[in-house]
Amino acid sequence: AVTTSFHDTRWTLVPRSRGSEPGARAALSELCAAYYAPVVSFLRRDGRDEDTARELAHDFFARLLAGGVMENADPQRGRFRSYLLAGVKRFAADQREKAGAARRGG
């Protein structure tokens, strides 16, 4: 069964996902896999078609895997899913802005 809602995060994965060691990459990959379907569902509810939502989610998680994004995630500041959702919203808005600029010729 595919999970389409954000579920509780195993916060132990978040600190382990930082850095460049193989264990960090594995933990980050596990987080991305756990949240891919919920992010796609959020993007669909936000008005995107299936293909666009999957493409945006893929690009967002590629950015996460590239590094640096997880450094500010902190269980003392709130839920991981809230942190991730805020990041997805910013990323989607940036992509929308870039697409609009390209249509305007800039």
Side-chain angles (χ1 to χ4, degrees):
V2 175
T3 302
T4 58
S5 63
F6 286 87
H7 49 78
D8 291 338
T9 302
R10 293 187 350 222
W11 269 106
T12 57
L13 284 176
V14 175
R16 286 192 345 225
S17 72
R18 298 176 179 138
S20 58
E21 308 80 47
R25 300 293 292 176
L28 186 54
S29 292
E30 188 175 336
L31 282 170
C32 291
Y35 283 100
Y36 179 80
V39 166
V40 169
S41 292
F42 166 77
L43 292 167
R44 291 291 317 271
R45 286 189 305 273
D46 198 40
R48 288 161 183 89
D49 64 52
E50 182 74 23
D51 289 339
T52 302
R54 288 186 179 282
E55 186 177 323
L56 276 173
H58 177 78
D59 292 347
F60 173 73
F61 285 112
R63 181 179 287 180
L64 276 183
L65 288 168
V69 176
M70 299 300 288
E71 299 305 316
N72 294 323
D74 179 0
Q76 301 301 317
R77 297 178 65 195
R79 291 186 260 187
F80 179 72
R81 61 183 169 226
S82 297
Y83 176 80
L84 190 67
L85 190 56
V88 168
K89 287 177 180 178
R90 278 192 305 273
F91 181 78
D94 288 347
Q95 296 304 309
R96 190 177 293 130
E97 187 176 307
K98 286 178 186 176
R103 281 192 297 272
R104 292 188 305 271

